[in-house]
Amino acid sequence: DPFLPLGETTVIYGDGDSGKSLFALAICCAVLTKRSLPAGIRPLVTGPCLYYDYETSAQDQALRLTMLARGCGAIDAPALAYRRMSRPLADETAVIRRDVAEQKPVLLVVDSIAPACQGAIEQTAEPVLRFMNSLRDVAPGVTKLVISHVSKSDTEKKRARPYGSVFVRNMARACWEVRRSHEEETDTLTMGLFHDKANTGRRHRPIGLTFSWEGGERITCTASDLSESVDLAESLSLSSRVRNALRGGAKTLSDLAEELDAKRNTVNQALR
């Protein structure tokens, strides 16, 4: 909560090096250790996690998970069921069924969808539909988190969409965009999480998190105010920007419009 609808598929997406995989591992750490993350992110269901990785290695993921566990105060690194993948997920259903039966996971992560489909997902819907249907079939009732990238052109926009067919977004029950601030220091990563789709319930307000590497021993996670980041604040809705502008006290409509570089009528509509 509030990221992963129970038993459904959620897609998180963003540019390369935005921290998507790190955030997914932090979610796994929370589910495995029964410890909450900052900004009100908490595991309502805990237990084993399965991680299907098309992008990096078991050693890298194990190291980052250990550092995240230390950062949240866990004494021992949690055991993550990990499998390095290379073939399309839809061609590995027998393996995944066996993993699900043996591990009995409450959370299954796929990192990431493009290599898991291994098709021209930007040109045709078939590889994406095959992937999504296979994932749903082999792990019924298991909460699923799928990581996706964005197109190069979308990185320049205020808000992006998952790379590939529209069915990447349409088949998911929830979607979150991940954006990284480029203002942070070398040993920190500040990200904004923007709720793009919610099939059940309302969309959640944007969430800011900062991951800090401390001496190569641990990674801590703290809540971050997105309005204090110049580049991430630009991705906030006008309503959120108005709310942040009013934190210091009352302002006139004209002052708000000038401060937010928006039209009076648009700001007035947001206020109403």
Side-chain angles (χ1 to χ4, degrees):
D1 180 57
F3 284 93
L4 307 175
L6 186 65
E8 302 290 355
T9 299
T10 296
V11 172
I12 63 170
Y13 61 94
D15 196 10
D17 198 33
S18 58
K20 303 182 297 296
S21 298
L22 181 64
F23 176 66
L25 276 178
I27 291 289
C28 289
C29 186
V31 173
L32 289 165
T33 64
K34 303 180 182 180
R35 294 171 182 264
S36 296
L37 296 176
I41 304 170
R42 59 198 182 103
L44 302 182
V45 176
T46 59
C49 299
L50 268 172
Y51 202 105
Y52 291 111
D53 192 354
Y54 285 85
E55 297 199 2
T56 184
S57 66
Q59 292 78 9
D60 288 344
Q61 299 291 45
L63 175 60
R64 293 205 294 179
L65 185 62
T66 298
M67 294 173 70
L68 285 166
R70 290 173 182 165
C72 72
I75 298 175
D76 298 316
L80 175 69
Y82 175 96
R83 185 179 292 278
R84 182 76 172 92
M85 303 287 282
S86 58
R87 300 176 64 222
L89 183 137
D91 294 342
E92 298 281 14
T93 54
V95 172
I96 297 172
R97 287 183 194 278
R98 185 168 63 248
D99 288 345
V100 170
E102 292 176 355
Q103 301 294 334
K104 295 179 173 54
V106 298
L107 174 63
L108 187 156
V109 179
V110 179
D111 186 3
S112 60
I113 189 172
C117 290
Q118 290 192 358
I121 65 172
E122 76 283 5
Q123 299 174 5
T124 175
E126 194 277 331
V128 173
L129 291 173
R130 184 168 179 252
F131 164 82
M132 287 291 194
N133 287 330
S134 296
L135 184 61
R136 190 175 180 183
D137 183 54
V138 296
V142 178
T143 303
K144 294 165 277 286
L145 175 59
V146 176
I147 299 174
S148 178
H149 295 83
V150 298
S151 67
K152 184 177 180 179
S153 60
D154 265 8
T155 60
E156 306 299 326
K157 298 178 181 179
K158 182 178 179 180
R159 298 301 299 271
R161 287 289 186 267
Y163 177 75
S165 164
V166 295
F167 286 100
V168 176
R169 184 174 183 273
N170 291 351
M171 292 292 286
R173 299 299 87 191
C175 292
W176 288 79
E177 181 184 2
V178 181
R179 287 200 174 233
R180 176 178 184 167
S181 171
H182 296 286
E183 306 165 32
E184 69 263 2
E185 301 296 329
T186 304
D187 294 329
T188 63
L189 187 160
T190 296
M191 64 172 63
L193 298 147
F194 303 92
H195 202 180
D196 173 55
K197 177 184 177 181
N199 271 67
T200 55
R202 64 178 180 85
R203 293 188 188 184
H204 199 279
R205 290 179 181 174
I207 292 174
L209 295 175
T210 295
F211 292 91
S212 302
W213 281 255
E214 299 183 357
E217 295 293 325
R218 60 179 53 83
I219 301 173
T220 60
C221 181
T222 55
S224 181
D225 185 351
L226 295 180
S227 65
E228 296 180 356
S229 170
V230 175
D231 49 357
L232 293 180
E234 293 177 352
S235 297
L236 294 172
S237 67
L238 182 59
S239 296
S240 295
R241 292 165 60 206
V242 167
R243 188 178 296 108
N244 292 331
L246 291 173
R247 284 180 179 177
K251 296 181 180 179
T252 67
L253 182 57
S254 296
D255 287 342
L256 281 172
E258 182 178 356
E259 179 179 337
L260 300 175
D261 192 24
K263 296 179 180 179
R264 261 181 74 102
N265 290 342
T266 306
V267 174
N268 190 38
Q269 184 179 1
L271 286 167
R272 291 183 182 279

